[in-house]
Amino acid sequence: MSRSSQMPQVFVSTDRIRSLFTEAMSQMYRAEVPQYGTLIELVADVNAGCLDKDPDLRERLTQAGELERIDVERHGAIRLGTAEELFTIRRLFAVMGMQPVGYYDLSVAGVPVHSTSFRPIDEAALNVNPFRVFTSLLRLELIEDEGLRAEAEAILAARRIYTPRAVALIERHEQNGGLTEAEAREFVAEALETFRWHGEATVSAETYKRLHDAHRLIADVVSFKGPHINHLTPRTLDIDAVQARMPERGITPKAVIEGPPRRHCDILLRQTSFKALEEAIIFSGDTAAVQGTHTARFGEIEQRGVALTAKGRALYDRLLASVRGEVQVGAGGAKAGTYDQELAERFKALPDSWDELRRQGLAFFRYSATPAGIAAAVGGTLAGDPEALIAKGYLAFAPIVYEDFLPVSAAGIFQSNLGTDQQQNYATHSNRDAFEAALGATVQDELVLYAERQATSLNAAMEALGLAGLQLKTVA
C-alpha cells in the first residue's frame, strides 16, 4: 500500500461548503439576472449608510457576532415537483450543514405548494454564513382537472434534476462523513446545475398554456428540466430606504413591503421585491420549436428583526390579519400608503421596546454577563434576582435574529411576482405528514430552536456570574 493511500483524508467543514455554494450561486444568478447585481450594490450602499449613522447598531451587531455575516447573507427559493426531488434536496443541503426548519402551508393563501426552509441551526454556523433556501413542493392534488394532473405527474416523473455526479458526491459525504476540498468544489459545481436557468421548456406551448391557466406557479414547476432558483435575497438594515431608492436604479418595487410595519425594534421579517422578468423560452413541439415567454425569476430584499415567541407570534398574526382583512392592496384595492398607515396604527399594540418585548415574553433574546457583572461576581457582591442584575448593568441582553419565514409574506411575494393578482381558493387542509414523508425527515420547530438558544445563553451568563440556576420571569 502506498504512503499516500494510508494518509487520512482531510474533510472541509460544512460551513466551508455552504460558503462556496453561496458565492457560486450568487455569481451565477448575477450573470443570469443583471438587476440582481444592481440590487446587491444598492443594499450595500444602504447598509453602509445605516452603520455610519447608527454606532449603537454597529456595536450591537458586532457584539452579537452578526456584523460579518451581513454582507454574505442571502436566501434563495426553489420549487420542486415530486417527493423524490424533495427527498434528495434534503440530502444535498445536508452536505452544506443545512437542515429543514419549519413547515409552511401556502395553499391557504392561494398558492398550491407547501414548504420548508433549509438552513444552518447552530449559532456559530449561522454567524459564518446563514444561507437559507425556501423550498416548496408542488401539491399536485390541488390541480382540479384530473387529466391535467395526471399529465403533470407524468412530465415530472420523467425528469432528473440532479446530475449523477452530484448524487455520487452526496453519497460519498454520507458514507465518509465529509468531503475534501477538491470534492467540495466539484460538489458545488455539480449541485449548481440543479439551480441553473434553462430557456427550453420540456412541454409544448399548448400544454404550458393549460398548466399556466390552472396556476402560473404550476406551469413554472412542471414545464422545465429543473427547478431554477427563482430569487436570491440580500439582507438590508433599512428596507424602507431600499424600497424608496430602487427606482433611482431603474428598478420598480412591488406596491407594499410584506410583513410588519417599520419600527424602532425590528421584529420577524420584512420583504420587498421587483417584478419578475419576462424571459424568452422555447417550447417543445412535435415538428418545430415554438418561441414564447415565461415569468418566474425576480429580485427580493429582506430586513430581519427579532424572533418572536409563541405568545408574540400569536399577537403578530392577529394584528396582521386584522389589517389584511380590511385593507386590500392591488387591483381595485387601497393604495400602499393607506395600507402602511393602517398597519403602523394596528401594530402599536405590540411593544416597540426591547425591554418590554423581553419582559412580556414576546421575543427571544441572547443573554451575556457584562464585564461589570463579572467583576462584581469576583468581588462576591452578587445575589438574587436576574431583573436586578439587568437593572445594574451586570446582565445584558440582545435580540436573537429571526432566521425563518412568514407564509403570508411568502405568498404575497409569490403572487406579486407571478405578475398577477390571481387568487385560488383551495378547499384543503395543511398536509404536514405528507410533506415530511416525502422529505424523509421531520422538520424542526423553529420556536424550540430559538428557546434553546435563549436558555443556553442565559445559563452561560448566570454561570459566569456565579449564579447558576436563576431564571428570568416574564409578565403574564
Side-chain angles (χ1 to χ4, degrees):
M1 184 179 292
S2 68
R3 182 179 178 183
S4 61
S5 65
Q6 294 176 331
M7 295 177 64
Q9 289 184 306
V10 177
F11 297 138
V12 298
S13 69
T14 54
D15 292 345
R16 166 69 174 164
I17 302 174
R18 186 170 66 259
S19 293
L20 287 172
F21 185 82
T22 306
E23 176 60 24
M25 176 84 84
S26 188
Q27 292 298 328
M28 180 188 77
Y29 200 68
R30 185 186 291 255
E32 292 181 348
V33 183
Q35 276 193 321
Y36 166 71
T38 304
L39 204 60
I40 293 294
E41 293 166 3
L42 173 57
V43 168
D45 289 345
V46 169
N47 287 354
C50 289
L51 293 171
D52 287 343
K53 289 187 301 183
D54 192 343
D56 290 342
L57 174 62
R58 181 186 288 274
E59 177 64 18
R60 178 163 61 82
L61 292 174
T62 301
Q63 290 298 322
E66 292 177 38
L67 187 62
E68 296 303 318
R69 71 180 246 183
I70 295 294
D71 289 340
V72 300
E73 187 157 355
R74 301 285 186 276
H75 92 247
I78 57 171
R79 304 156 184 166
L80 304 176
T82 69
E84 292 76 15
E85 291 175 359
L86 183 66
F87 183 84
T88 302
I89 207 76
R90 174 183 57 79
R91 298 168 61 210
L92 182 149
F93 284 133
V95 177
M96 298 182 248
M98 299 161 67
Q99 299 183 37
V101 178
Y103 172 78
Y104 306 91
D105 176 23
L106 272 62
S107 69
V108 298
V111 181
V113 300
H114 46 185
S115 315
T116 191
S117 168
F118 288 94
R119 67 168 178 87
I121 61 172
D122 177 76
E123 184 172 8
L126 285 163
N127 284 340
V128 169
N129 187 325
F131 184 55
R132 322 164 185 83
V133 180
F134 190 79
T135 303
S136 300
L137 177 65
L138 179 62
R139 297 186 66 176
L140 285 167
E141 74 273 16
L142 299 183
I143 300 177
E144 293 182 357
D145 183 324
E146 293 184 5
L148 185 62
R149 186 192 318 145
E151 189 173 356
E153 288 175 347
I155 292 167
L156 291 169
R159 76 178 186 179
R160 297 293 179 267
I161 69 172
Y162 306 103
T163 70
R165 185 58 179 159
V167 174
L169 287 166
I170 291 169
E171 292 172 349
R172 182 169 299 183
H173 181 273
E174 293 170 343
Q175 293 164 3
N176 295 349
L179 296 178
T180 65
E181 175 74 16
E183 289 170 340
R185 289 183 176 277
E186 186 182 9
F187 166 78
V188 166
E190 294 291 332
L192 208 61
E193 293 304 309
T194 297
F195 300 85
R196 192 179 298 281
W197 170 252
H198 298 281
E200 304 84 27
T202 57
V203 300
S204 68
E206 185 271 336
T207 299
Y208 177 89
K209 183 179 185 305
R210 288 189 289 116
L211 293 167
H212 186 278
D213 289 346
H215 196 289
R216 284 176 178 247
L217 189 139
I218 295 172
D220 181 58
V221 175
V222 176
S223 303
F224 297 89
K225 65 185 295 185
H228 46 257
I229 192 85
N230 58 66
H231 65 271
L232 277 182
T233 303
R235 176 181 170 188
T236 183
L237 299 173
D238 188 346
I239 199 168
D240 298 277
V242 174
Q243 177 93 339
R245 292 172 57 180
M246 282 167 71
E248 298 172 8
R249 307 287 180 111
I251 302 172
T252 302
K254 69 186 297 294
V256 299
I257 295 171
E258 298 285 347
R262 183 181 183 92
R263 296 162 46 91
H264 174 68
C265 299
D266 295 326
I267 59 171
L268 297 175
L269 176 66
R270 302 179 72 204
Q271 296 170 282
T272 190
S273 65
F274 63 75
K275 198 167 184 178
L277 307 174
E278 188 172 271
E279 301 180 88
I281 59 171
I282 298 174
F283 293 110
S284 173
D286 294 333
T287 56
V290 179
Q291 290 190 337
T293 60
H294 178 68
T295 304
R297 300 188 301 162
F298 55 94
E300 184 181 81
I301 315 95
E302 66 184 19
Q303 181 172 345
R304 290 186 173 271
V306 68
L308 297 185
T309 62
K311 178 182 176 182
R313 183 59 185 272
L315 178 56
Y316 167 84
D317 288 342
R318 178 169 60 80
L319 294 174
L320 183 67
S322 73
V323 181
R324 295 181 72 92
E326 295 181 16
V327 183
Q328 298 297 321
V329 178
K335 293 183 178 179
T338 304
Y339 176 82
D340 291 341
Q341 290 167 12
E342 189 62 30
L343 195 68
E345 183 64 30
R346 300 288 177 93
F347 268 79
K348 288 180 180 178
L350 201 158
D352 198 7
S353 151
W354 294 130
D355 193 50
E356 277 303 305
L357 287 169
R358 181 190 64 80
R359 287 197 324 106
Q360 295 188 32
L362 297 171
F364 292 106
F365 292 87
R366 182 182 184 277
Y367 293 89
S368 59
T370 66
I374 293 172
V378 171
T381 61
L382 293 187
D385 170 19
E387 290 295 339
L389 298 174
I390 291 173
K392 291 178 179 179
Y394 294 163
L395 181 64
F397 61 91
I400 293 177
V401 175
Y402 185 64
E403 306 287 355
D404 298 288
F405 295 93
L406 302 170
V408 172
S409 295
I413 292 285
F414 277 14
Q415 290 288 4
S416 68
N417 285 293
L418 291 170
T420 179
D421 290 319
Q422 174 186 14
Q423 291 286 345
Q424 299 284 89
N425 294 314
Y426 293 111
T428 186
H429 303 285
S430 294
N431 201 342
R432 179 171 179 159
D433 289 345
F435 185 87
E436 291 182 331
L439 186 69
T442 300
V443 299
Q444 300 206 43
D445 185 331
E446 63 272 24
L447 292 180
V448 171
L449 295 176
Y450 294 125
E452 288 175 349
R453 286 177 62 187
Q454 177 173 276
T456 298
S457 72
L458 181 58
N459 290 338
M462 289 304 187
E463 286 183 11
L465 297 174
L467 297 169
L470 289 180
Q471 295 295 315
L472 289 165
K473 295 180 181 179
T474 58
V475 178

